[in-house]
Amino acid sequence: MDILGMMPSFGGFLGTLVAFVVALSVIVAIHEYGHYIVGRWCGIHAEVFSLGFGPVIYSRVDKRGTVWQVAALPFGGYVKFLGDADAASGKDGETISQLSEAERKRTMHGADLWRRSAAVAAGPVFNFILSILVFTGIFLFSGTTTDDPVIGEVKPHPGQEELFEPGDRLLSVAGVETPDLAAFYTAAREADPAPSVSYEVERDGDRLSFDSVFPFPPVIDQLQPKSAAMDGGLEVGDVITSVDGQAVYALSEVQELAQSSEGAPLALEVWRDGETLQKTLTPRQRDLPTGDGFETRWLIGFSGGAFFEPPRVTLGAGEALLGGLNQTWFIATSSLSGMWHMITGAISSCNIQGPIGIAQTSGDMASQGVMEFIWFIAVLSTAVGLLNLFPIPVLDGGHLVFHAYEAVMGKPPSDKALNFMMMGGLTLLLSLMVFALSNDLFCP
């Protein structure tokens, strides 16, 4: 039984909150463990490892003297090293002054520069490692499709008679030969939307011809979080049969009608397991990456594909790892590109989400299944790792900038300058959080 998929059944708010706390706790635990374990390897003593803030509800002390604790507010965490004044690794000058030279070497402020830098960088690095491992595991589990135009499983569709069978090889679509899957996709994209299209298949050595549904029908394969489709109650497997009374046969038709609506409500007729439903959804404006920038479109918020699922084959460990690396790199570079386009005004700043938006996305992804939720955790882990590398005092990236200054100048910034910059960084970070929260409340 898919427990995550049951979340909406006991309350949308509760399900969203649980999903958010689970996702954030996993990511924070990995991030802080990176700081802790690399710091320990480098001889820096951790006094406290805390998952959450506020009142402590559970704690224990390990043989190294580190307090491991779970606090009541599960919206973050920290590692407090020896010599730290607070969770942000501010310097506790009074405590450090009372330590011996050997003990100072075990503090975040007295250890060798490379050791401190390694411990600081380890948090974001562990976030990236988590993403890579999760994506690699998913690729190993789900495999990949071959380039053969072979039918694995046919998606349910009201106009889909039981003509195709698993193992059928597609020979042509609408009169265009399809020697491989890429050729099938090209032929499908170029075909004019119609109630039915001619197909030729090879089955057990025989060549069969018949008409069936359009190759890219308006079938929902995946729902986008925080979308009109998700909020409007559409589900994976739904088939959109008409928009504003106009029959639709291709996914591209729904996309074009949503774009031309410019945000006006659309009346959808939806087929679901033999039942016809009526839905009214209002497309939302979204900025989509195009490879060389972003494109702003009106979207209902779902993705689809071919009328069938191709067979999948197992990936080797090396191929899966390469896929995990590429996926993590894509998310990081796309995020940086999006931020740059927001700064330059090319796309809306509403793309920045705050805690409410991230929580809602967590719940939406969890409601679609365990695999989708795990995928989301990996995506969010990359984002958290990237954010922490920004050169803002208080964040890991800011500490690394201070370390770079120390490496060049031969001494760290003065305590007064550090305190000033830390307060400035904290102010900037809080301002960004308030701005992101306002997006959650006021952006569609």
Side-chain angles (χ1 to χ4, degrees), residues 142-296:
S142 61
T144 188
T145 59
T146 66
D147 198 33
D148 292 331
V150 175
I151 293 175
E153 180 181 353
V154 179
K155 300 173 185 176
H157 190 284
Q160 174 73 25
E161 300 179 20
E162 295 183 3
L163 299 174
F164 294 99
E165 294 181 2
D168 285 353
R169 175 178 292 274
L170 291 161
L171 301 177
S172 72
V173 176
V176 179
E177 293 187 356
T178 55
D180 51 39
L181 203 56
F184 166 79
Y185 290 142
T186 300
R189 282 191 294 267
E190 294 177 351
D192 294 326
S196 62
V197 173
S198 62
Y199 294 89
E200 286 187 307
V201 303
E202 179 182 318
R203 181 185 302 162
D204 298 328
D206 296 327
R207 191 182 189 101
L208 307 176
S209 300
F210 42 77
D211 294 342
S212 191
V213 298
F214 190 77
F216 281 168
V219 179
I220 297 177
D221 286 348
Q222 187 176 41
L223 295 166
Q224 304 304 318
K226 294 187 64 182
S227 65
M230 177 68 75
D231 294 343
L234 295 184
E235 298 179 1
V236 172
D238 284 353
V239 182
I240 298 175
T241 56
S242 75
V243 178
D244 282 345
Q246 175 183 331
V248 290
Y249 308 104
L251 178 64
S252 59
E253 291 181 292
V254 180
Q255 294 170 331
E256 290 167 4
L257 289 168
Q259 175 67 10
S260 63
S261 74
E262 296 185 345
L266 298 175
L268 307 183
E269 187 174 87
V270 179
W271 180 89
R272 179 184 298 168
D273 298 329
E275 182 182 359
T276 300
L277 308 174
Q278 305 297 326
K279 300 282 187 180
T280 299
L281 280 71
T282 301
R284 298 174 185 175
Q285 209 166 26
R286 293 290 184 261
D287 298 306
L288 304 177
T290 61
D292 57 353
F294 283 79
E295 178 184 20
T296 302

Side-chain angles (χ1 to χ4, degrees), residues 55-120:
V56 176
I57 57 179
Y58 169 79
S59 68
R60 71 173 183 86
V61 181
D62 67 14
K63 62 182 181 181
R64 295 181 177 84
T66 300
V67 177
W68 296 77
Q69 66 184 38
V70 177
L73 301 177
F75 303 113
Y78 62 92
V79 175
K80 181 178 179 297
F81 289 101
L82 179 64
D84 288 350
D86 47 43
S89 291
K91 185 177 181 181
D92 185 352
E94 182 178 349
T95 297
I96 292 177
S97 65
Q98 298 174 3
L99 299 176
S100 66
E101 185 64 29
E103 289 174 325
R104 289 178 188 174
K105 290 289 186 181
R106 301 179 66 225
T107 71
M108 180 56 79
H109 306 276
D112 295 337
L113 182 59
W114 72 267
R115 298 178 190 272
R116 287 181 275 142
S117 298
V120 169

Side-chain angles (χ1 to χ4, degrees), residues 5-18:
M6 292 173 60
M7 285 184 174
S9 68
F10 59 81
F13 173 77
L14 181 58
T16 294
L17 182 61
V18 170

Side-chain angles (χ1 to χ4, degrees), residues 365-388:
M365 295 302 291
S367 68
Q368 297 187 60
V370 173
M371 193 67 73
E372 287 77 7
F373 183 58
I374 293 174
W375 182 277
F376 169 72
I377 289 177
V379 172
L380 189 57
S381 183
T382 299
V384 168
L386 190 64
L387 175 64
N388 272 276

